[in-house]
Amino acid sequence: MAAYLCMVAIFIIGSFSWVFPEAAASASHGAVTRHYNLNIRLQKVTRLCHTKSMLTVNGKFPGPRIVAREGDRVVVKVVNHSPNNVSIHWHGIRQLRSGWYDGPAYITQCPIQSGRSYVYNFTITGQRGTLLWHAHISWLRATIYGPIVILPKLNASYPFPKPHKEVPILFGEWWNADTEAVINQSLQTGAGPNVSDAYTINGLPGPLYNCSANETFKLNVKPGKTYLLRLINAALNDELFFRIANHTLTVVEADAVYVKPFQTDVLLIAPGQTTNVLLKTHPNATSASFLMAARPYFTGMGTFDNTTVAGVLQYGKPSMTSLNVSIGLPLPALPPINGTAFVANFSGQFRSLANSQFPANVPQTVDKRFFFTVGLGSSPCPKNQTCQGPNGTKFAASLNNISFALPKTALLQSYFFGKSNGIYTTDFPSTPLNPFNYTGTPPNNTMVANGTKVVVLPFNTTVELVVQDTSILGAESHPLHLHGYNFFVVGQGPGNFDPSKDPAKFNLVDPVERNTVGVPSGGWVAIRFRADNPGVWFMHCHFEVHMSWGLRMAWIVLDGTLPNQKLPPPPSDLPDC
Ligand SMILES: *[C@@H]1O[C@H](CO)[C@@H](O)[C@H](O)[C@H]1NC(C)=O
Ligand SMILES: *[C@@H]1O[C@H](CO)[C@@H](O)[C@H](O)[C@H]1NC(C)=O
Ligand SMILES: *[C@@H]1O[C@H](CO)[C@@H](O)[C@H](O)[C@H]1NC(C)=O
Ligand SMILES: *[C@@H]1O[C@H](CO)[C@@H](O)[C@H](O)[C@H]1NC(C)=O
Ligand SMILES: *[C@@H]1O[C@H](CO)[C@@H](O)[C@H](O)[C@H]1NC(C)=O
Ligand SMILES: *[C@@H]1O[C@H](CO)[C@@H](O)[C@H](O)[C@H]1NC(C)=O
Ligand SMILES: *[C@@H]1O[C@H](CO)[C@@H](O)[C@H](O)[C@H]1NC(C)=O
Ligand SMILES: *[C@@H]1O[C@H](CO)[C@@H](O)[C@H](O)[C@H]1NC(C)=O
Ligand SMILES: *[C@@H]1O[C@H](CO)[C@@H](O)[C@H](O)[C@H]1NC(C)=O
Ligand SMILES: *[C@@H]1O[C@H](CO)[C@@H](O)[C@H](O)[C@H]1NC(C)=O
Ligand SMILES: *[C@@H]1O[C@H](CO)[C@@H](O)[C@H](O)[C@H]1NC(C)=O
Ligand SMILES: *[C@@H]1O[C@H](CO)[C@@H](O)[C@H](O)[C@H]1NC(C)=O
Ligand SMILES: [Cu+2]
């Protein structure tokens, strides 16, 4: 039993249940290697009275959790028993000199073909908190995702009171339809894809949908205790507001980096982001129930899934009579769908701890500056077709007006073996080729260019990147995710970035450090990072629909001169295309 000392019992209606074997991570000495097997299979799953065949991992949805301590090596054998090509990304893991295991298909590896396997092998260095793993090809991450829990090193403690229990809470999106058919149809016709039918908490849509009362996530708590909720947004296309009725949350960590704690009733979490919060339960509540709820933040022009997922926070022992308590409980109030003012205020509250134990190593000088626009646009309709995107074109999305075309082979292999010819070019523009009033009246020509273009960075370059949203086809927040690095969010603001005034206001002392940041809708964000991890690193919008439309690019970070500044050669089981 000792191995399950810190087990959290979560009572869940339905077939979904898991426990948290936190103590299973405690080996007697320092860092260890943790072995996992992930088996990907087609399986029938029912939600909203709708049964579909979908990809699951180890028969679970969401998938199993990966638990390790900071400093541990993680070795995961992924076996693809499914008919699809698959690759898995360990989202937010820095992958220091282990870029072969990062996972985005056609960037760091060719996908694992049906019937094949690949062993991912990486060390978790200097990170602790919550991350996620997910498929990184087409829209397969709709059902292939799970939590990564990184505990502090053995005998190290949290910089906040030790929680009574720890609970992962994964937000997702459920489609009754097959998500591969949804995105393939969108890419074919040029129209926006159908939206999801429900949001989910740990795979369960909750009582606010038709035929889903038995699919409600339920968190059973004791009064007067502190719970650590590991929030993960694994939804495909939606930033979500989240709130637990009558409870205040304390944010303590974001993207596996501790932050200066702050309290909030409502959270915003973008796809790809993770947030650890402390939930202090009421001291005197013995048998009360409260709803927790999440629904989207959206400012764009298109359609979106405007529904609400709810779960139940239940004080006291679950009983059969409590099964239907959720009906009639008040929904917690959430900001308006387009609550940009709330979002600006909320994101402004994140600060690094920036103390001696957890310093914020913000680059104080900048070697290379970049300015990328981010947003939607159009691509031409093929001659023999009619398209259903804007004005008879196809929807596209771009960075600096370039819609990134995925190559047919992996960029990292092409780069490493010096075979870039015909695969990619190194002329990704560092600033827009045709500047315009980015958040004003959009230009008449909204056509994007396309290509497989990258930026090459010498080892140890300090980079400052300003990402500017555009109002082409509607201003929208874009959760920008960088692989292989955390970055510091040194500034953000509404409207157009002003290079003469805004840099003076940058926070170079305790900016938040993360791997995914929402580029403000109709605004800009400035990030800094030091390019000290050689490899090919994808950067993209974490809205799957925008990524499919081309909102993605890659950085190639060259080797340094010392042996420990070079990317080792690939493993022998690296998949072929
Ligand atoms: C909910 O009940 C329906 C009908 O009995 C069933 O098909 C479905 O699998 C249940 N959902 C879960 C998550 O158990
Ligand atoms: C993982 O990588 C380490 C370091 O390169 C190596 O020593 C180890 O053998 C690898 N393990 C597996 C299972 O491939
Ligand atoms: C919960 O909050 C609502 C809204 O603020 C309030 O009306 C209600 O009395 C609270 N309920 C409890 C049990 O504290
Ligand atoms: C909880 O109950 C105790 C004893 O009845 C009382 O003194 C205390 O004020 C209550 N606390 C709250 C927050 O209601
Ligand atoms: C979203 O749905 C709510 C009802 O649940 C409705 O009041 C609101 O107008 C909808 N918002 C949008 C932007 O469709
Ligand atoms: C947000 O939506 C509401 C209701 O649709 C609308 O009245 C308001 O103008 C919108 N606010 C912004 C800032 O777009
Ligand atoms: C890509 O750009 C080329 C011109 O460089 C153009 O002919 C082609 O139609 C574009 N393809 C797409 C999908 O936009
Ligand atoms: C359009 O032409 C392309 C290539 O010329 C062909 O592959 C495609 O099937 C055609 N589509 C339609 C709708 O005819
Ligand atoms: C479509 O074309 C019309 C007329 O040229 C123009 O006014 C409108 O802005 C265009 N819409 C989009 C979404 O590009
Ligand atoms: C850009 O557009 C905005 C919104 O229409 C406007 O307020 C601003 O003055 C414009 N800026 C320039 C430099 O034209
Ligand atoms: C864009 O279109 C508007 C209205 O059709 C026209 O007045 C304007 O001159 C065009 N601008 C450019 C740069 O072509
Ligand atoms: C990287 O550059 C900084 C100066 O910006 C220097 O202090 C540091 O030693 C360099 N690190 C490596 C690994 O070369
Ligand atoms: Cu986006």
Side-chain angles (χ1 to χ4, degrees), residues 143-215:
T143 63
I144 302 186
Y145 62 86
I148 300 178
V149 173
I150 311 169
L151 302 168
K153 285 182 175 169
L154 206 59
N155 301 324
S157 52
Y158 294 122
F160 44 82
K162 185 172 165 43
H164 173 62
K165 303 251 167 88
E166 305 193 0
V167 188
I169 293 192
L170 292 97
F171 301 104
E173 257 180 295
W174 171 267
W175 270 261
N176 288 334
D178 171 18
T179 43
E180 288 305 279
V182 170
I183 183 57
N184 289 341
Q185 185 190 19
S186 163
L187 294 176
Q188 175 65 33
T189 64
N194 290 344
V195 300
S196 50
D197 296 287
Y199 296 101
T200 55
I201 295 179
N202 290 346
L204 301 167
L208 304 180
Y209 300 92
N210 280 339
C211 202
S212 60
N214 69 332
E215 295 164 346

Side-chain angles (χ1 to χ4, degrees), residues 125-418:
T125 307
Q127 300 184 279
R128 69 300 282 176
T130 305
L131 294 171
L132 70 156
W133 56 267
H134 61 74
H136 211 305
I137 181 167
S138 191
W139 277 25
L140 294 187
R141 77 174 179 84
T143 63
I144 302 186
Y145 62 86
I148 300 178
V149 173
I150 311 169
L151 302 168
K153 285 182 175 169
L154 206 59
N155 301 324
S157 52
Y158 294 122
F160 44 82
K162 185 172 165 43
H164 173 62
K165 303 251 167 88
E166 305 193 0
V167 188
I169 293 192
L170 292 97
F171 301 104
E173 257 180 295
W174 171 267
W175 270 261
N176 288 334
D178 171 18
T179 43
E180 288 305 279
V182 170
I183 183 57
N184 289 341
Q185 185 190 19
S186 163
L187 294 176
Q188 175 65 33
T189 64
N194 290 344
V195 300
S196 50
D197 296 287
Y199 296 101
T200 55
I201 295 179
N202 290 346
L204 301 167
L208 304 180
Y209 300 92
N210 280 339
C211 202
S212 60
N214 69 332
E215 295 164 346
T216 301
F217 169 72
K218 208 158 183 215
L219 174 56
N220 211 57
V221 293
K222 288 184 176 161
K225 303 276 189 205
T226 299
Y227 292 79
L228 178 65
L229 307 184
R230 297 175 173 272
L231 308 177
I232 297 169
N233 188 346
L236 288 194
N237 297 321
D238 298 87
E239 298 189 47
L240 295 169
F241 293 119
F242 173 69
R243 183 173 195 173
I244 305 178
N246 302 84
H247 289 74
T248 296
L249 303 169
T250 304
V251 177
V252 292
E253 181 240 293
D255 295 3
V257 185
Y258 295 131
V259 298
K260 290 194 173 85
F262 67 92
Q263 292 201 331
T264 188
D265 293 337
V266 179
L267 268 119
L268 176 78
I269 185 163
Q273 290 187 327
T274 49
T275 311
N276 277 5
V277 299
L278 297 176
L279 164 72
K280 218 169 169 198
T281 54
H282 296 308
N284 292 352
T286 47
S287 64
S289 301
F290 300 89
L291 281 190
M292 59 180 85
R295 68 156 164 71
Y297 162 57
F298 185 79
T299 64
M301 286 193 337
T303 52
F304 66 102
D305 176 355
N306 181 21
T307 64
T308 304
V309 55
V312 178
L313 182 74
Q314 166 78 50
Y315 286 77
K317 286 216 162 58
S319 66
M320 285 315 286
T321 51
S322 72
L323 286 185
N324 284 321
V325 289
S326 53
I327 317 292
L329 286 177
L331 261 182
L334 289 164
I337 298 284
N338 57 2
T340 297
F342 171 88
V343 171
N345 179 279
F346 177 73
S347 20
Q349 292 184 67
F350 285 81
R351 293 273 184 283
S352 283
L353 270 187
N355 59 22
S356 55
Q357 199 187 351
F358 301 105
N361 295 316
V362 191
Q364 298 294 315
T365 59
V366 173
D367 298 325
K368 289 210 172 146
R369 288 198 155 77
F370 297 89
F371 183 88
F372 292 176
T373 58
V374 63
L376 304 188
S378 303
S379 70
C381 191
K383 281 261 156 6
N384 60 353
Q385 210 189 320
T386 50
C387 293
Q388 292 158 23
N391 278 350
T393 65
K394 288 186 163 193
F395 267 114
S398 69
L399 284 158
N400 273 353
N401 207 42
I402 293 166
S403 182
F404 184 92
L406 280 184
K408 297 261 181 301
T409 184
L411 291 185
L412 184 57
Q413 273 162 295
S414 316
Y415 157 68
F416 191 84
F417 295 108

